[in-house]
Amino acid sequence: MASLNVGNLGEYLREQRRNAQLSLRQLADAAGVSNPYLSQIERGLRKPSAEVLQQVAKALRISAETLYVRAGILDAERDRDEVETRAVLLADPSLNERQKQVLLQIYESFRKENGFGTGESEQEAAGEERTGSTEDDTGDTTARGTRTAGGSDAGPRRTAGQ
């Protein structure tokens, strides 16, 4: 089987797995993929899907975006600064997961404001609406509102005890 051109993804995954002190089998189990398939990815024989890369990244506790760039899913030149910034935020051990997500949302909003959109802004430009909510550390839920294609935001609504 010929080696696919997936950059140095396999070498990088092997290095990250070793740094995490995981065997190939342990990482495969944690990521929910087969041991032989993960071995083929590490050897550059298979190009994994974005979903598989996301599962592997989660198991290794590293940025999925970094794996996407190495696999050629994201354009390295165009997205390098954004990916590195996100990776630094996600890797900061002094922040909890909620704080990391809030920082990423703020970062994304500034990028959109300055004309550098992400995948979500492409959905908005296509006219799709997003809704959602987050729960803070008091147990209250904050709805982010509905964001429309025009970029308007109905604004956050706070509801106690939901």
Side-chain angles (χ1 to χ4, degrees):
M1 193 180 266
S3 180
L4 296 175
N5 185 14
V6 290
N8 56 358
L9 173 66
E11 293 171 18
Y12 180 76
L13 280 177
R14 182 176 293 123
E15 179 183 324
Q16 294 302 310
R17 177 177 59 79
R18 289 179 176 161
N19 287 343
Q21 299 180 340
L22 293 171
S23 70
L24 191 64
R25 186 174 311 279
Q26 288 170 323
L27 178 57
D29 288 343
V33 298
S34 75
N35 188 33
Y37 182 61
L38 186 58
S39 174
Q40 290 173 344
I41 293 170
E42 282 193 0
R43 291 182 287 143
L45 301 176
R46 297 276 183 184
K47 182 175 181 177
S49 68
E51 292 81 15
V52 168
L53 288 175
Q54 185 175 17
Q55 291 169 234
V56 170
K58 185 176 179 182
L60 287 171
R61 297 177 186 239
I62 61 174
S63 164
E65 287 87 355
T66 302
L67 295 184
Y68 296 159
V69 168
R70 290 186 181 266
I73 294 172
L74 288 179
D75 180 10
E77 292 302 315
R78 186 177 54 113
D79 298 324
R80 180 171 294 149
D81 289 341
E82 178 186 2
V83 168
E84 289 176 356
T85 301
R86 289 175 178 271
V88 167
L89 288 174
L90 291 171
D92 189 333
S94 66
L95 301 174
N96 65 38
E97 289 305 311
R98 183 184 62 82
Q99 292 168 331
K100 291 176 185 179
Q101 292 307 312
V102 169
L103 277 174
L104 288 174
Q105 289 172 355
I106 292 168
Y107 174 66
E108 179 184 316
S109 72
F110 284 145
R111 285 182 51 82
K112 286 180 186 177
E113 184 178 308
N114 293 332
F116 297 96
T118 61
E120 290 180 340
S121 64
E122 291 169 10
Q123 289 175 344
E124 291 170 14
E128 297 176 19
E129 294 185 352
R130 291 189 309 138
T131 60
S133 64
T134 57
E135 183 172 305
D136 66 12
D137 50 357
T138 64
D140 290 345
T141 302
T142 301
R144 287 190 306 242
T146 301
R147 201 172 276 272
T148 62
S152 63
D153 191 348
R157 296 175 311 280
R158 195 145 181 89
T159 56
Q162 290 184 342

